Amino acid sequence: MKDTVLTFAVAVLTIAVAADPTVYFKEEFDDGWSSRWVESTSKGNEQGKFKWTAGKFYNDPEKDKGLQTSEDARFYGISAKFDKPFTNEGKTLVIQFTVKHEQEIDCGGGYIKLFPSDLDQKNMHGDSPYYIMFGPDICGYSTKKVHVIFNYKGKNLLTKKEIRCKDDVLSHLYTLIVRPDNTYEVKIDNKKEESGKLEDDWDFLAPKKIKDPDAKKPEDWDDREKLDDPDDTKPEDWDKPEHIPDPDAKKPEDWDDEMDGEWEPPMIDNPDYKGEWKPKQIANPAYKGSWVHPEIDNPEYSEDAFLYKYNDIGAIGFDLWQVKSGTIFDNMLITDDEKYAEKFGEETWGAMKGGEQKMKDKHDEEEKTKRDEEEKKRKEEDDKKEDTDDDDDEEEEEEEGDKDKEDQDMDEKEDQTTKDEL
């Protein structure tokens, strides 16, 4: 009996241990974050600096601190290496982080990159080899998408699907799940936005089928569904001009043929005009349908059961360009457990979003009140200036009236003097 209980306990313990998530990397940007991250200097004076801040609105001023881009029109590069490199062979890979574009971003990236362990952190730049690039990218009204790019045999492959990102100023949770059965899922705010097979949605492999290069459309293949009716003829009275002289128009009485030329009435649409005649259409008795090019197996196609796999995952980083800075990144997680990632997202982003929204609403109301007060003050100053201008005008009118009276008195005096002399 004791042996049975012991065996059962060991089995339960084994299952529990096996079920524990593996966390390869987790970053909530606490006090010691700077010791784990290395900023790139590859762009020299064009390299932007990151700030450690919770931004303008948040739930907790300390817990919600993250990395924020701080300079407009700059490149940004910063990365952190894992305690040890790992492979996701036979395991699920989950990449997750939060992004807050509180600056109302107009053009710039908000994505992360997963790198091999030999990344040169100080010299990290846009051409540094990476495994996966994932996250939002916004530029103007036309580009508002989530990038999911996989590197496969040296080529960076973009997804064929359009996944729309969030474009407001609040924090949002972005999650990419890559499974060992070569399927994937993209979630935003812990809700599925897209999913499918890697082979279907990226050009990892050559197509399974190709058009048979030896097949040709038969010369007698007729793909015309309809034909002109050979028995249909154009009516004799069909041809009429499109425009005719206006029968109601009259030559103006003041029209001079010598000066104005020969008068011609204006043209109007002809009510009898029927347009170009075309024969009626009839079914083509020889119609065979649209010819479909036969396909054959592609000799260059080779199945790969490990499209999802990377052998030397060793670093994570941000390699960005932003026209308008202010994006905050936080709550980063790399794990092999989807449920753990979902739980971590709720404990971080989920716990923060309500307070952040509340503070933003308060911030917006304060900004509105400030604008209203400034507008009121400006209007009062304009009204005061207008009153002052009116007073000045009245004084000028009084002065002009006094001057006119003086001039009139002077004229009368001169007239009287002239009369006395006479």
Side-chain angles (χ1 to χ4, degrees), residues 279-298:
K280 290 186 296 185
Q281 298 286 292
I282 60 172
N284 179 4
Y287 175 65
K288 296 183 178 180
S290 298
W291 185 75
V292 179
H293 200 126
E295 291 187 333
I296 61 172
D297 291 337
N298 184 359

Side-chain angles (χ1 to χ4, degrees), residues 132-348:
I132 298 174
M133 177 172 137
F134 169 64
D137 187 21
I138 295 176
C139 199
Y141 294 100
S142 59
T143 301
K144 294 182 179 181
K145 63 183 177 182
V146 178
H147 276 302
V148 185
I149 301 176
F150 293 103
N151 184 278
Y152 183 70
K153 296 183 177 179
K155 293 183 178 180
N156 295 328
L157 308 178
L158 280 69
T159 178
K160 301 174 189 176
K161 291 183 176 178
E162 188 73 20
I163 309 172
R164 189 170 178 84
C165 68
K166 302 295 184 180
D167 61 355
D168 57 43
V169 298
L170 298 170
S171 293
H172 291 285
L173 181 72
Y174 287 85
T175 308
L176 172 63
I177 303 168
V178 183
R179 304 185 181 99
D181 62 356
N182 280 334
T183 63
Y184 76 97
E185 184 175 332
V186 173
K187 297 166 71 175
I188 302 179
D189 297 341
N190 265 339
K191 295 179 181 178
K192 183 172 76 172
E193 295 292 327
E194 193 56 82
S195 63
K197 296 180 179 179
L198 297 178
E199 185 174 350
D200 293 343
D201 296 343
W202 285 264
D203 290 325
F204 282 94
L205 307 176
K208 290 183 179 180
K209 298 284 187 178
I210 59 171
K211 292 180 179 180
D212 184 351
D214 297 326
K216 294 181 180 180
K217 180 179 176 181
E219 293 182 1
D220 62 346
W221 189 279
D222 196 336
D223 55 10
R224 297 172 300 163
E225 187 174 358
K226 298 287 185 180
L227 292 176
D228 292 345
D229 185 351
D231 299 325
D232 190 22
T233 57
K234 182 168 67 174
E236 293 182 0
D237 63 346
W238 183 275
D239 291 329
K240 301 289 183 182
E242 185 176 357
H243 301 98
I244 59 173
D246 185 353
D248 297 325
K250 295 182 180 180
K251 181 179 178 178
E253 294 180 0
D254 60 349
W255 188 275
D256 188 327
D257 288 342
E258 292 184 1
M259 296 291 293
D260 301 324
E262 183 182 356
W263 180 80
E264 294 180 356
M267 305 296 282
I268 62 171
D269 292 339
N270 183 0
D272 295 327
Y273 176 68
K274 298 178 182 179
E276 181 185 358
W277 182 82
K278 293 181 180 180
K280 290 186 296 185
Q281 298 286 292
I282 60 172
N284 179 4
Y287 175 65
K288 296 183 178 180
S290 298
W291 185 75
V292 179
H293 200 126
E295 291 187 333
I296 61 172
D297 291 337
N298 184 359
E300 295 183 4
Y301 174 78
S302 178
E303 187 177 353
D304 186 348
F306 298 99
L307 298 178
Y308 72 94
K309 186 188 73 169
Y310 296 100
N311 290 326
D312 184 36
I313 305 171
I316 191 169
F318 298 99
D319 170 38
L320 311 168
W321 161 262
Q322 288 196 342
V323 174
K324 189 176 182 181
S325 63
T327 302
I328 298 177
F329 302 98
D330 199 3
N331 305 311
M332 304 177 69
L333 177 70
I334 308 294
T335 182
D336 64 353
D337 192 304
E338 298 178 39
K339 292 296 182 183
Y340 176 76
E342 184 175 333
K343 180 173 178 288
F344 179 73
E346 288 301 327
E347 291 172 348
T348 52

Side-chain angles (χ1 to χ4, degrees), residues 79-113:
S79 62
K81 288 199 172 183
F82 305 152
D83 292 338
K84 62 178 181 179
F86 70 94
T87 176
N88 64 323
E89 181 175 358
K91 300 178 181 179
T92 295
L93 175 64
V94 184
I95 303 170
Q96 184 169 281
F97 65 114
T98 58
V99 183
K100 178 168 66 169
H101 292 309
E102 71 171 22
Q103 77 276 39
E104 297 182 6
I105 191 169
D106 51 3
C107 191
Y111 39 78
I112 62 96
K113 289 181 178 181

